[in-house]
Amino acid sequence: MTYKFKTIPSPVGALTLVASDAGLTAILWENDRPGRVKLGDLEEAPDHPVLAEAERQLQGYFAGERERFDVPLDFRGTDFQKRVWAALLTIPFGETRSYGEIARQIGRPSASRAVGAANGRNPISIIAPCHRVIGTNGALTGFAGGLAAKEALLGMERRAGG
């Protein structure tokens, strides 16, 4: 399968949006770790409708005008990962959850570490808000975009009234 992509500027660095025919498949960070998100061949397609809509919604988010996304998503991962990523989608704008809370939410209360690993492989950062997942003690922990980006996203949401 060939995925379509476009790269857009953002306040947290360049983001590469990737889509399949079914929906948005990935948002990759400027300095993303190679292989963090497994994809097939990529073909640049700046006018792809899913990519254009994802860009429009992300621009609204960064402008403080959007708290929810409704672009179609096409998660690619294991069943466990998909359960974790679906749980991320339930975290309200401006709020945070711990890895343990997510583990309990998906019915796997002893799987905090596995939740952390799945969170680290979240292919659709920002829209599936893995930046809203923090350590039990409230500390900011690993983030594919870097801790500075995680802090910036959480700060932007707090300022926007979340």
Side-chain angles (χ1 to χ4, degrees), residues 96 99 130-143 146-155 158:
T96 58
Y99 296 100
C130 50
H131 62 279
R132 296 181 191 153
V133 182
I134 59 174
T136 302
N137 62 358
L140 298 187
T141 56
F143 185 60
L147 291 182
K150 183 172 190 164
E151 189 170 16
L153 292 170
L154 290 171
R158 279 192 301 273

Side-chain angles (χ1 to χ4, degrees), residues 67-95:
E67 295 183 3
R68 289 189 172 86
F69 298 93
D70 57 15
V71 65
L73 305 178
D74 183 18
F75 283 110
R76 304 290 170 110
T78 67
D79 288 342
F80 179 82
Q81 288 171 328
K82 289 177 184 178
R83 287 175 52 206
V84 171
W85 301 334
L88 298 177
L89 295 170
T90 70
I91 305 172
F93 181 88
E95 294 185 22

Side-chain angles (χ1 to χ4, degrees), residues 2 4 8 24 31 45 57 70 88 94 96 99-100 102 111 116 121 123 127 136 143-144 146 150:
T2 299
K4 308 299 184 193
I8 64 169
L24 188 67
N31 297 311
Q57 290 187 26
D70 57 15
L88 298 177
T96 58
Y99 296 100
I102 298 293
R121 291 213 175 258
I127 291 178
T136 302
F143 185 60
K150 183 172 190 164

Side-chain angles (χ1 to χ4, degrees), residues 32-118:
D32 220 327
R33 189 177 78 246
R36 183 183 71 82
V37 176
K38 293 179 182 5
L39 297 167
D41 294 330
L42 297 176
E43 175 183 301
E44 192 163 12
D47 297 328
H48 187 282
V50 170
L51 299 175
E53 182 59 19
E55 178 181 20
R56 186 185 72 74
Q57 290 187 26
L58 284 164
Q59 287 173 340
Y61 170 80
F62 289 123
E65 300 163 355
R66 175 178 287 273
E67 295 183 3
R68 289 189 172 86
F69 298 93
D70 57 15
V71 65
L73 305 178
D74 183 18
F75 283 110
R76 304 290 170 110
T78 67
D79 288 342
F80 179 82
Q81 288 171 328
K82 289 177 184 178
R83 287 175 52 206
V84 171
W85 301 334
L88 298 177
L89 295 170
T90 70
I91 305 172
F93 181 88
E95 294 185 22
T96 58
R97 298 290 183 272
S98 71
Y99 296 100
E101 288 171 314
I102 298 293
R104 287 189 293 281
Q105 180 179 340
I106 65 168
R108 299 278 304 274
S110 63
S112 295
R113 288 183 191 266
V115 164

